[in-house]
Amino acid sequence: MEDLFRSYWWLLFPLGFFAFGAWDRWLAYKRSQAQLDLLRSYAQQGKEPPADLLRAVREDEAEVYDAPPYGRLRRRMYRRGWRYGPYWAWRTALLTGAVALGFWLASEYADLPGVEAPFRLVAIILTCVAAGHLVVAVLSSAFRGR
């Protein structure tokens, strides 16, 4: 069993992502069920539900039943558009570059035997990712108003 864990320790991350994704979906289901129960109680009492509750139910329904996934993606980007500006692109590029530099330094000056090659591999991959983020940052700054 110890050898199995030593060989496949990295499988914990995808399994964790699946578990947290299932947990998120279950919480979304419970939230929508609670909203519908609240609407049902207003209907049984003959009262008009609050506008905020109706708007929240409609937004959740529109996110789920939008025909192509692009409509839902467009709305999500509009709501969270602050994440896609030039500031965040430059921040991501600099942070990824700093982590890549850290791995380059660790691959050169590590005192542990046998870690130079893995650190160098991670440094090469992160350098490529940082270069991609740098290109995105430059392009998002150059074409900011368009």
Side-chain angles (χ1 to χ4, degrees):
M1 188 70 172
E2 183 180 327
D3 187 45
L4 179 70
F5 180 73
R6 189 177 302 135
S7 299
Y8 298 105
W9 61 268
W10 54 271
L11 281 176
L12 290 174
F13 294 103
L15 291 175
F17 292 141
F18 287 134
F20 281 115
W23 178 257
D24 177 55
R25 292 293 86 213
W26 186 76
L27 288 177
Y29 166 74
K30 294 302 269 184
R31 183 179 63 235
S32 66
Q33 189 179 28
Q35 288 174 345
L36 290 177
D37 287 343
L38 190 58
L39 282 175
R40 191 176 297 123
S41 71
Y42 274 111
Q44 287 174 351
Q45 295 173 3
K47 294 180 180 178
E48 185 69 27
D52 292 337
L53 177 63
L54 290 174
R55 188 177 66 240
V57 170
R58 283 190 190 118
E59 285 178 359
D60 286 347
E61 183 179 303
E63 278 189 23
V64 172
Y65 293 113
D66 218 354
Y70 304 113
R72 181 174 55 207
L73 236 127
R74 198 175 313 119
R75 264 197 321 277
R76 183 178 295 157
M77 282 186 68
Y78 178 74
R79 275 196 321 258
R80 301 175 181 155
W82 56 269
R83 294 185 190 174
Y84 303 104
Y87 167 76
W88 293 96
W90 281 105
R91 179 179 175 223
T92 305
L94 290 174
L95 183 68
T96 312
V99 173
L101 178 66
F103 273 101
W104 279 111
L105 290 173
S107 71
E108 290 296 322
Y109 299 113
D111 288 337
L112 299 171
V115 297
E116 295 88 6
F119 279 177
R120 186 156 296 143
L121 177 66
V122 172
I124 290 170
I125 292 170
L126 278 175
T127 302
C128 294
V129 170
H133 283 301
L134 184 64
V135 168
V136 168
V138 168
L139 291 177
S140 69
S141 295
F143 300 110
R144 184 175 180 180
R146 298 179 189 163

